[in-house]
Amino acid sequence: MSYQQLPSIDKLIKSAEGVRLVAEFGHTAVVNVCRQLIEQGREHIKKENELPSFFSNIALTLDEVKHHLHKQNQVNIQSVHNLTGTILHTNLGRALWSPPAQQAALMAMSQNVALEYDLDMAKRSHRDNYISDLLAQLTGAEAACIVNNNAAAVLLMLATFAQGKEVIISRGELIEIGGSFRIPDIMQQAGCKLVEVGTTNRTHLSDYRQAINENTAFLMKVHSSNYQICGFTKSVSEQELVNLGEEYHLPVITDLGSGALVDLTQYGLPSEPTVQEKWQQGVDLISFSGDKLLGGPQAGIIVGKKALIERLQTHPLKRALRCDKVILAGLEATLRLYLQPEKLAEKLTTLHLLTQPVETLHNQAEQLKNALEDYLTPEYQLQIEKSLAQIGSGSQPLARLPSVAVTISTSISGKLTALLTCFKKLPQPIIGRVEKDKIWLDLRGLADIQALVTMLNEQEKMP
């Protein structure tokens, strides 16, 4: 087999289709892809002593060039259908933005915005001002500071107020969050010394009192939202810590993690401490996430006393950790939904998913089952079953929400694994969970049933 049978780059780009591709994608991109394919052809001839099939004629070659050019334009962060039963799935991007937040972000992307410009005074302002005023209205706190996630918020608070000093925290609150990030590690990076008090399951107010000395920066509480210790337990409340802090003139800070701004029990969801409760108890600084129970973009939010917030804003780390205009626009639009509490479950996507009636999920399951029956081969058995979903992202780890799932089973070994692989290769991959020798496609966290059904209807029957 001769290497001379491979077409030249010049021949490819000067063909009618080649000219069209150059007009669409540019000369450099087309030439680079042609060069890569010809090199693949040489390697194939060397190993197999024959041309690759796409070099059998110039039309097939140009189709392959076109395919590679389109693939280059596809981002690797691919949209998926979340059927895991975990609504705020960390690995799948946590909270879905509400339509108002999406619109605000798109505006910020496509236009200049008054990010650090006061329109009334015609002079420079601070990028957090809009959201600080809004959070003060929603929580009662005096001011707010926004950074790129809650771990950054904790880091900034520690670096600002405790560098070279000691921070007292209960041993039972030294949590590890996703990706093996641990509270002690963040404290070390901030340059402060961790002082552990109490035991894993029991900590008393006297433990904090005995640890206080002249080098103590503040008292810290961390809400253990991603785990629970049950049985013989004792912890110290924020209110007790605040009273102790006032006695020794020490501030109290709380890392709330998920950061609920409303009482979730009114929607039939598990109870979660709110930011407002902690502020009313006298906590000086409270940090929480924007993309968990709040239902917005990834952000770390700190609310509290104005004098302390001003110190956070002037710390050199703040500039490194600040959010851009798109995140701030999406966050502001999300927070504004909380000004209409009666409409929140309708307009805030996360809360809407968490509170959907089981009857609605059952109707969606029927639609999904019908679409899957046309897509799957007969060796797969489909059922609609009761399921238990979870909030996710460390929120209420033991709580389960009633849900509905389409389950898929088969008696043929290896077929479930093959189906999971097939699901991941769909135009918009389906991500479910495997449990009790079945694939469970839980509807509680699904964003768009119509998009899922339409996609399945457009596929050829599974081979």
Side-chain angles (χ1 to χ4, degrees):
M1 177 60 64
S2 173
Y3 293 103
Q4 292 178 350
Q5 291 179 266
L6 291 167
S8 68
I9 294 175
D10 192 57
K11 181 179 179 180
L12 291 171
I13 65 174
K14 287 185 176 179
S15 66
E17 178 64 8
V19 170
R20 193 194 68 76
L21 291 175
V22 169
E24 182 177 356
F25 296 98
H27 182 271
T28 300
V30 176
V31 168
N32 286 342
V33 169
C34 289
R35 185 177 290 121
Q36 291 165 13
L37 292 178
I38 290 171
E39 185 58 34
Q40 288 179 25
R42 290 195 182 101
E43 290 297 319
H44 192 82
I45 292 171
K46 184 178 178 180
K47 293 178 181 178
E48 307 295 337
N49 197 34
E50 65 177 9
L51 282 170
S53 59
F54 57 81
F55 277 122
S56 57
N57 64 66
I58 193 169
L60 287 177
T61 305
L62 289 165
D63 279 345
E64 189 71 10
V65 172
K66 182 179 178 181
H67 169 74
H68 279 263
L69 288 165
H70 280 294
K71 191 173 181 180
Q72 282 183 351
N73 287 341
Q74 293 176 355
V75 295
N76 287 328
I77 296 181
Q78 190 173 357
S79 64
V80 301
H81 291 291
N82 179 13
L83 291 153
T84 61
T86 301
I87 290 81
L88 297 173
H89 200 303
T90 298
N91 298 341
L92 301 182
R94 293 185 178 165
L96 301 179
W97 292 26
S98 65
Q102 295 175 41
Q103 293 163 11
L106 183 60
M107 177 274 295
M109 290 179 204
S110 59
Q111 302 176 34
N112 290 119
V113 295
L115 178 64
E116 295 182 354
Y117 185 79
D118 188 319
L119 291 169
D120 293 327
M121 303 297 293
K123 64 179 184 179
R124 183 169 183 164
S125 66
H126 197 283
R127 65 176 57 200
D128 288 358
N129 283 354
Y130 299 115
I131 294 177
S132 181
D133 293 344
L134 187 52
L135 281 165
Q137 182 180 351
L138 289 169
T139 67
E142 295 174 4
C145 173
I146 314 299
V147 290
N148 55 29
N149 62 26
N150 191 48
V154 174
L155 175 65
L156 181 60
M157 291 189 294
L158 293 169
T160 302
F161 300 107
Q163 192 168 34
K165 296 185 177 182
E166 297 179 357
V167 175
I168 303 173
I169 185 172
S170 168
R171 185 170 280 107
E173 296 171 8
L174 297 176
I175 64 169
E176 178 178 307
I177 58 179
S180 299
F181 288 97
R182 297 176 175 178
I183 289 292
D185 296 336
I186 295 174
M187 288 185 170
Q188 183 179 11
Q189 290 299 317
C192 57
K193 180 182 178 182
L194 167 68
V195 178
E196 305 174 29
V197 297
T199 62
T200 301
N201 62 319
R202 291 181 69 81
T203 302
H204 303 272
L205 187 64
S206 59
D207 295 321
Y208 288 92
R209 184 184 294 276
Q210 291 168 11
I212 294 173
N213 60 46
E214 66 279 359
N215 202 38
T216 301
F218 53 71
L219 310 177
M220 184 174 184
K221 284 283 290 182
V222 178
H223 176 50
S224 56
S225 59
N226 64 350
Y227 79 101
Q228 290 184 11
I229 299 176
C230 302
F232 188 59
T233 64
K234 174 71 171 67
S235 63
V236 178
S237 69
E238 274 87 346
Q239 184 66 69
E240 292 175 288
L241 274 190
V242 166
N243 294 338
L244 181 64
E246 289 175 349
E247 183 180 340
Y248 287 89
H249 306 289
L250 291 172
V252 175
I253 73 169
T254 290
D255 170 12
L256 261 190
S258 292
L261 287 184
V262 293
D263 178 10
L264 296 177
T265 60
Q266 65 182 300
Y267 303 104
L269 297 172
S271 177
E272 184 78 8
T274 66
V275 176
Q276 292 90 329
E277 290 169 359
K278 301 308 174 186
W279 173 251
Q280 289 166 7
Q281 289 169 359
V283 176
D284 297 278
L285 291 173
I286 306 151
S287 75
F288 52 100
S289 297
D291 59 344
K292 294 183 180 181
L293 288 174
L294 183 67
Q298 177 182 298
I301 303 167
I302 308 168
V303 299
K305 293 183 177 178
K306 186 175 183 180
L308 300 181
I309 293 293
E310 287 176 349
R311 289 181 61 185
L312 293 174
Q313 296 287 19
T314 57
H315 192 280
L317 261 182
K318 171 62 201 299
R319 186 173 182 86
L321 301 174
R322 69 183 183 179
C323 294
D324 75 348
K325 62 177 183 176
V326 175
I327 295 298
L328 291 173
L331 181 58
E332 181 186 352
T334 301
L335 290 169
R336 290 197 176 280
L337 296 178
Y338 283 84
L339 298 174
Q340 303 170 8
E342 293 84 7
K343 295 291 184 179
L344 194 60
E346 176 186 335
K347 295 184 177 181
L348 186 66
T349 303
T350 293
L351 194 54
H352 173 71
L353 293 175
L354 290 171
T355 59
Q356 288 181 100
V358 171
E359 295 78 12
T360 299
L361 300 179
H362 196 279
N363 291 337
Q364 293 182 7
E366 291 281 4
Q367 296 178 60
L368 177 56
K369 181 173 179 287
N370 291 337
L372 286 169
E373 284 173 343
D374 292 333
Y375 174 64
L376 298 179
T377 47
E379 61 262 31
Y380 294 103
Q381 290 80 52
L382 298 171
Q383 284 184 291
I384 294 176
E385 300 189 44
K386 292 181 180 179
S387 181
L388 292 174
Q390 59 182 350
I391 296 173
S393 290
S395 302
Q396 294 290 336
L398 300 183
R400 292 295 179 266
L401 308 178
S403 189
V404 180
V406 175
T407 62
I408 307 172
S409 59
T410 180
S411 59
I412 303 175
S413 177
K415 279 290 184 178
L416 283 185
T417 301
L419 181 55
L420 288 171
T421 300
C422 187
F423 278 165
K424 291 172 185 176
K425 292 181 179 179
L426 289 168
Q428 189 173 3
I430 294 173
I431 311 296
R433 71 177 189 267
V434 178
E435 193 176 287
K436 300 177 183 177
D437 296 321
K438 297 178 181 179
I439 296 173
W440 290 68
L441 303 178
D442 191 302
L443 280 300
R444 173 66 70 182
L446 179 64
D448 191 339
I449 181 63
Q450 290 306 319
L452 174 55
V453 169
T454 299
M455 178 191 70
L456 289 171
N457 289 338
E458 290 173 349
Q459 304 304 305
E460 296 181 3
K461 198 171 189 70
M462 183 183 173

